[in-house]
Amino acid sequence: MAADLAPYTRYEPSGPELHGSATIYGWMPWVDGDITIGGDTIEIGNGDGDSNIFEILDGFFMANGDLRYGRYGVYADVLYAGFSNDRANSGWSLDATTVTGLLTYDVLRSDTGWVQVGAGARYWSINANIYL
């Protein structure tokens, strides 16, 4: 049994060598849970019955982008979401931040796609405060 495979042809993009894109995106963040400290329990998030997501969401920002020059590329993604629920005698706040950076190189390219290798780093931070 033989297969007829199309030969690999080198793809050279037309137009400028330097190009990129940026996207602002969003998804509905959610937070839910219980924390007990010294016998006192506080509910964190949307499930406490007294709030909805729009009452506890302080703000969010989500964006990604890439910049390419020939076979080389740079990719970045940034995400931030902040929540809080301040009450008279107790409350909480939660901030989540993720930043991803990636350097890429096209190992194979054709007119229908490409294969890239990359190396990068990710910063991830969650900061929670509870006021009892």
Side-chain angles (χ1 to χ4, degrees):
M1 189 157 141
D4 190 17
L5 299 175
Y8 174 78
T9 57
R10 184 178 174 118
Y11 170 71
E12 294 299 330
S14 61
E17 278 284 314
L18 182 64
H19 61 279
S21 66
T23 304
I24 296 175
Y25 64 94
W27 48 266
M28 182 58 72
W30 194 267
V31 61
D32 192 25
D34 296 328
I35 296 179
T36 302
I37 300 175
D40 293 326
T41 300
I42 184 169
E43 289 189 44
I44 304 293
N46 310 73
D48 63 7
D50 294 335
S51 63
N52 65 45
I53 187 67
F54 299 108
E55 291 174 348
I56 65 171
L57 182 64
D58 293 335
F60 68 93
F61 177 76
M62 300 164 198
N64 66 27
D66 71 315
L67 187 61
R68 304 198 46 75
Y69 184 76
R71 291 183 172 266
Y72 299 95
V74 176
Y75 172 82
D77 185 45
V78 177
L79 178 142
Y80 167 80
F83 306 90
S84 68
N85 191 0
D86 296 324
R87 297 185 180 173
N89 58 0
S90 66
W92 56 268
S93 67
L94 176 71
D95 294 319
T97 305
T98 303
V99 178
T100 303
L102 184 67
L103 300 174
T104 64
Y105 178 76
D106 294 351
V107 179
L108 296 173
R109 293 190 335 184
S110 73
D111 58 352
T112 58
W114 60 90
V115 175
Q116 293 178 324
V117 294
R122 174 172 285 158
Y123 169 78
W124 186 46
S125 171
I126 296 178
N127 183 27
N129 296 299
I130 298 173
Y131 313 103
L132 298 175

